Amino acid sequence: SVLCSLYIPVLVGDAIDAIIGKEQVNFAVILPKLFTCAVLIGCAALAQWLMNVCGNKVTYNTIRDMREAAFKKIHRLPFSYLDAHETGDIVSRIIADVDQFADGLLMGFTQFFTGVMTILGTLVFMIMINWKITLVVVLVTPLSFFVASFVAKKTYRMFSLQSETRGEQTGFIDEMIGNEKVVQAYGHEDEALEKFDDINLRLQKWSLKATFFSSITNPATRFVNNVVYALVALSGAVSVVKNPLAFTVGRLSMFLSYANQYTKPFNEISGVVTELQNALACADRVLDLIEEEPLSPDADDVLVVNEGEGHIRLEHVAFSYDKEKELIKDFNLDVKPGERVAIVGPTGCGKTTMINLLMRFYDVDSGSIKVEGKDIRDVTRKSLRSNYGMVLQETWLKSGTIKENIVTGRPDATDEEIIAAAKAAHAHSFIKRLPDGYDTVIGEDGGNLSQGQKELLCIARVMLCLPPMLILDEATSSIDTRTEMKIQEAFAKMMKGRTSFIVAHRLSTIQSADIILVMKDGNVIEQGNHEELLAKGGFYSRLYNSQFS
């Protein structure tokens, strides 16, 4: 494309020189030149189209790969990273920042590389025509680079702040939409709007500054380039007057055309540079996510636990989220296959942390957790977690049908098995009342289902898998008392012969547990069954009596 465009001024200059004077036009020279010009224009247009096709393909394949890499990385990141970063900010990186990066790439491919090729090509042609005037052009033009470089440094900082603030705003909007009922219930609308306005004003501030600095570049470089063009025209005209045979009018027209083509890319590149500043600022945030340290990979000689019996042993386990604040220290526990272990204690004592360690969402700081006599750090995460069935207080349902949500753990389950699991979880009756039964499509996080119905679906999901070990973290907290009694019966059948860990605040739900661990400040302060702990008259006894006094 550039080569075709650069050769056209040579043909036009020769055609001008073929116009000697009035009624002295050499059409034998002019017409072939004009025909060649038309062919070259067509070739340049075709090459430009092909370049755009290639540029688009490269760009959109690149951002496809970036989004895929970022999304894959989310599944391999430690939970400590996800807990420390806002969901909305991570979403903004994968969606908005990648889009901004794509815009910068598109401009870079179509203008930046074309501009560089044009500058190099015009320099060669101008030196061939008149090296002295070319020297004037080369000496003055670098002023454009100094201007663009000065503005680019300012612009990058502004675009970085713009991207960070946009991520903060996305996170806040996501947080407010997800909790709008709580916001309105507590009359928090004005405070939420005030905080949103603060973020929005900061975003406006950085966006305006980024746009202002980036908009300076083009007129500044255009001014420098116009000065160059004027100097070339003046010096070229003087050369024609002094020696019209050595430097003809046609050659002057060629040189002016090349001078214009030489300076034009500086305008385009300066505009592209500001866009690239935005693109690079956004790419930086995405690459920070992609290059984040992942979970330590499973070793090559790692073991696989298949259908274990459920023997779990914790030896001198110590763990804390903040290394300066101790949470769990020197914790020991030996759970025999089929035993039911209940974990109770005040809020923040480490109950949910125990679940995180058992599932290896976090690794212990010291000590070890063993399953079937194998340290879980020597077992593949996938095989370890496949041996657990987990129902959490925070339900998670994906957009899709009721059936698709129940079969998450067993995609190959038959309709009869799905219905049996739903009946065991006492979810079948409300599912049948839905418009399309098991084929009813629910929205994000369960749509219009009640919290209790969501929990029943999560319980049905576990009922369908029935792994050798179970974790129930406040699994019936949103279910009415009558249904809870039925669920407890279903759980009793399900837990028979399976090692189970039950986290509960309502102590009525854990009276039949084989072992009750009473936790306080990360330590197990009491251990035994319900009757033994009541007889001790200690912390558990006080907790129990406070609920049933």
Side-chain angles (χ1 to χ4, degrees):
S1 174
V2 170
L3 287 172
C4 291
S5 301
L6 290 181
Y7 195 64
I8 289 172
V10 174
L11 299 172
V12 173
D14 290 343
I16 289 172
D17 284 339
I19 304 171
I20 301 166
K22 188 176 180 181
E23 297 182 358
Q24 289 182 298
V25 179
N26 190 346
F27 285 104
V29 173
I30 292 173
L31 291 177
K33 301 283 183 187
L34 294 179
F35 176 76
T36 309
C37 279
V39 172
L40 287 175
I41 289 169
C43 291
L46 179 63
Q48 184 79 31
W49 176 76
L50 286 170
M51 184 174 65
N52 288 336
V53 169
C54 294
N56 289 344
K57 192 161 188 177
V58 169
T59 297
Y60 289 112
N61 283 355
T62 300
I63 65 168
R64 176 202 64 197
D65 293 346
M66 284 185 75
R67 279 204 173 109
E68 185 179 356
F71 192 71
K72 278 182 179 177
K73 178 52 71 76
I74 288 173
H75 294 299
R76 291 165 43 219
L77 284 172
F79 278 84
S80 55
Y81 179 90
L82 299 174
D83 289 341
H85 290 76
E86 290 183 0
T87 305
D89 181 60
I90 297 174
V91 171
S92 180
R93 294 185 193 210
I94 299 175
I95 304 298
D97 288 340
V98 173
D99 277 341
Q100 291 289 324
F101 181 55
D103 292 341
L105 275 182
L106 281 172
M107 289 193 72
F109 276 112
T110 54
Q111 293 183 28
F112 185 79
F113 295 113
T114 305
V116 171
M117 289 291 293
T118 302
I119 290 168
L120 295 175
T122 50
L123 269 176
V124 172
F125 277 100
M126 284 193 296
I127 290 169
M128 289 168 62
I129 297 169
N130 190 314
W131 68 268
K132 292 179 182 177
I133 303 177
T134 304
L135 196 61
V136 174
V137 176
V138 172
L139 289 174
V140 180
T141 306
L143 287 172
S144 298
F145 279 126
F146 290 122
V147 172
S149 171
F150 172 76
V151 176
K153 289 174 184 175
K154 292 275 186 184
T155 309
Y156 181 78
R157 172 66 178 154
M158 299 305 159
F159 278 125
S160 295
L161 290 167
Q162 182 190 33
S163 296
E164 290 170 15
T165 312
R166 185 168 53 234
E168 183 185 350
Q169 187 182 61
T170 306
F172 183 72
I173 292 170
D174 180 67
E175 181 184 328
M176 289 299 105
I177 291 174
N179 300 280
E180 186 59 27
K181 290 178 182 176
V182 178
V183 171
Q184 294 194 21
Y186 284 91
H188 197 68
E189 297 95 331
D190 292 340
E191 289 84 351
L193 186 59
E194 189 177 323
K195 185 173 180 182
F196 178 81
D197 285 343
D198 173 60
I199 300 171
N200 210 25
L201 284 170
R202 278 190 283 120
L203 181 59
Q204 176 209 32
K205 174 185 172 184
W206 301 130
S207 299
L208 279 173
K209 284 193 174 184
T211 306
F212 172 75
F213 280 109
S214 64
S215 64
I216 290 175
T217 313
N218 193 277
T221 53
R222 193 177 291 276
F223 173 77
V224 173
N225 295 338
N226 286 336
V227 170
V228 172
Y229 190 81
L231 289 173
V232 169
L234 182 62
S235 55
V238 170
S239 298
V240 171
V241 171
K242 281 186 175 180
N243 193 349
L245 294 176
F247 197 69
T248 64
V249 174
R251 281 180 169 265
L252 176 60
S253 73
M254 284 185 220
F255 209 97
L256 287 172
S257 179
Y258 285 132
N260 190 42
Q261 282 183 290
Y262 177 76
T263 56
K264 187 180 177 184
F266 287 97
N267 290 330
E268 293 177 350
I269 289 173
S270 63
V272 168
V273 164
T274 56
E275 280 296 324
L276 286 175
Q277 294 296 313
N278 186 17
L280 291 172
C282 294
D284 195 40
R285 282 165 46 80
V286 182
L287 293 172
D288 278 347
L289 174 63
I290 293 174
E291 293 168 3
E292 189 66 36
E293 192 68 31
L295 283 167
S296 55
D298 294 326
D300 294 335
D301 58 348
V302 80
L303 302 169
V304 176
V305 176
N306 292 316
E307 293 297 322
E309 295 179 357
H311 185 197
I312 299 174
R313 188 180 182 88
L314 289 82
E315 298 176 343
H316 306 291
V317 169
F319 174 79
S320 60
Y321 297 105
D322 184 348
K323 303 311 173 190
E324 295 180 1
K325 297 177 183 176
E326 284 189 334
L327 181 58
I328 294 176
K329 51 191 176 186
D330 198 29
F331 180 55
N332 296 278
L333 179 67
D334 190 5
V335 184
K336 305 291 190 299
E339 284 189 331
R340 281 183 254 181
V341 180
I343 307 171
V344 300
T347 301
C349 68
K351 300 188 297 294
T352 302
T353 301
M354 284 297 304
I355 304 304
N356 287 337
L357 295 177
L358 288 170
M359 293 288 289
R360 210 185 161 197
F361 292 147
Y362 287 83
D363 279 327
V364 297
D365 294 335
S366 63
S368 64
I369 300 175
K370 295 180 179 178
V371 175
E372 314 304 337
K374 303 167 186 173
D375 192 315
I376 61 173
R377 287 169 292 191
D378 298 328
V379 174
T380 62
R381 289 183 177 89
K382 188 172 183 179
S383 70
L384 172 69
R385 292 167 187 169
S386 67
N387 279 269
Y388 284 104
M390 187 164 65
V391 182
L392 301 177
Q393 183 178 3
E394 294 178 5
T395 57
W396 178 78
L397 298 171
K398 62 182 180 181
S399 299
T401 64
I402 296 286
K403 183 190 294 184
E404 287 170 348
N405 275 281
I406 294 176
V407 301
T408 300
R410 263 191 67 196
D412 58 342
T414 63
D415 288 348
E416 291 75 19
E417 289 172 324
I418 295 168
I419 292 170
K423 285 180 176 177
H426 297 277
H428 180 71
S429 57
F430 91 79
I431 293 173
K432 294 304 290 181
R433 291 196 299 271
L434 294 174
D436 298 312
Y438 286 84
D439 294 318
T440 301
V441 177
I442 57 176
E444 181 186 0
D445 198 27
N448 291 324
L449 296 179
S450 71
Q451 188 63 30
Q453 289 172 331
K454 294 177 193 177
E455 284 197 3
L456 292 177
L457 288 180
C458 291
I459 293 168
R461 184 189 291 162
V462 175
M463 294 283 192
L464 185 64
C465 298
L466 286 181
M469 294 178 284
L470 299 170
I471 292 175
L472 309 174
D473 187 355
E474 292 289 351
T476 58
S477 60
S478 299
I479 297 172
D480 63 273
T481 307
R482 185 166 172 272
T483 306
E484 184 188 5
M485 291 172 65
K486 293 179 181 178
I487 291 294
Q488 293 298 342
E489 291 174 13
F491 277 161
K493 292 178 185 175
M494 184 172 69
M495 289 188 286
K496 194 170 184 180
R498 290 183 172 82
T499 304
S500 308
F501 291 86
I502 308 157
V503 175
H505 284 111
R506 288 186 280 187
L507 302 186
S508 59
T509 61
I510 50 98
Q511 292 179 19
S512 59
D514 299 306
I515 304 171
I516 298 175
L517 302 177
V518 185
M519 296 190 70
K520 187 180 181 184
D521 300 327
N523 295 312
V524 176
I525 57 173
E526 292 178 358
Q527 185 172 331
N529 60 36
H530 177 67
E531 289 75 17
E532 291 170 350
L533 292 175
L534 280 182
K536 282 183 181 179
F539 189 74
Y540 177 82
S541 177
R542 291 197 298 275
L543 273 178
Y544 186 80
N545 289 325
S546 69
Q547 292 191 15
F548 298 102
S549 58

